[in-house]
Amino acid sequence: MKRFLVVISFGAVALAACGGGGSGPSLGVQTQASAQSVAQSSSDFPGLQKCSESGSYESYLKAEETKNPDQYKTDKTTWEDLKAAGANDSYIAVYAANATDCGQFAAGTPSGKVAYVYAIRFKDSTSASASYKVTSKDFHLSDSDLANLKAAGGTVQVGAATGLGDNSTVLSIDVAGLAVYVAFWENKQFEVAMIAFNDAAEAPGAVTKINGRIR
């Protein structure tokens, strides 16, 4: 970050020395996308409201601690592991059609359409790729898990077939009347997971929009 600021400052000084920057050439500097800019957009899930627990991983954990202390412990460990692996920014966006489905922290059975988007930015793409390979097992997306899902009637796509790159998995399955759609992928320095309940029609398009915001 310090090096980036030095580059910007040097460019400003150089332009001033040349008589101003109004018509000067562009430096071509492109800032990294934030985790929030990737995870959150009101257009991703039309008709769903954004839940108040949406926010950085830290703020999400604070809200979860009182609501679901057992899950909080697990999620806190997950976030610590992600940071140790190079994560430097995060955002969790939660959407629901019914207000009663907000604040559930992935516990219980949704009464309507619900979507969770987890965007984790890493210090570089190498760290993100390495984390994807580790996290996919914790996300119950190992080869044996996927085989079990297929056997239960689920649809599974992995790698290039998803349209999200080599490090990606997309699955959908109906469980006791609950339609579940999961996309988990790594793109550049981001690791993203999206879980949608009862919203199979909008979920694929939302994934495309989210992935398109990564830069």
Side-chain angles (χ1 to χ4, degrees):
M1 177 60 73
K2 288 183 178 179
R3 184 176 184 277
F4 177 75
L5 292 175
V6 169
V7 170
I8 294 298
S9 298
F10 179 80
V13 171
L15 287 173
C18 292
S23 59
S26 170
L27 292 176
V29 176
Q30 184 178 35
T31 60
Q32 283 187 332
S34 68
Q36 181 174 355
S37 70
V38 170
Q40 174 187 281
S41 175
S42 59
S43 68
D44 290 344
F45 300 96
L48 273 60
Q49 62 181 306
K50 183 182 174 184
C51 297
S52 62
E53 64 266 28
S54 300
S56 67
Y57 218 124
E58 285 89 349
S59 66
Y60 181 87
L61 286 171
K62 287 179 181 178
E64 183 182 45
E65 186 174 12
T66 55
K67 182 74 175 182
N68 191 342
D70 290 336
Q71 185 61 39
Y72 161 79
K73 294 176 183 177
T74 299
D75 289 343
K76 186 175 186 297
T77 298
T78 296
W79 178 229
E80 293 299 327
D81 290 344
L82 287 168
K83 288 191 291 184
N88 59 20
D89 191 21
S90 64
Y91 197 85
I92 300 174
V94 185
Y95 303 92
N98 302 326
T100 54
D101 283 325
C102 289
Q104 297 300 313
F105 300 96
T109 302
S111 62
K113 296 179 179 179
V114 176
Y116 291 83
V117 181
Y118 302 81
I120 309 297
R121 190 185 69 193
F122 288 80
K123 61 183 180 181
D124 52 42
S125 59
T126 300
S127 299
S129 178
S131 177
Y132 173 86
K133 292 176 173 61
V134 173
T135 309
S136 60
K137 296 178 182 178
D138 298 333
F139 212 62
H140 301 295
L141 294 178
S142 66
D143 290 342
S144 59
D145 290 323
L146 295 178
N148 290 335
L149 286 166
K150 288 181 180 179
T155 300
V156 178
Q157 293 178 310
V158 179
T162 68
L164 298 169
D166 292 338
N167 289 338
S168 61
T169 303
V170 174
L171 65 91
S172 59
I173 190 170
D174 288 347
V175 181
L178 182 68
V180 183
Y181 185 98
V182 178
F184 179 52
W185 73 100
E186 175 264 326
N187 182 1
K188 298 179 180 177
Q189 73 273 34
F190 279 89
E191 181 177 286
V192 184
M194 192 212 73
I195 308 169
F197 299 94
N198 302 317
D199 202 8
E202 297 290 347
V207 168
T208 299
K209 293 176 184 177
I210 294 165
N211 192 51
R213 294 195 290 268
I214 295 175
R215 65 176 191 274

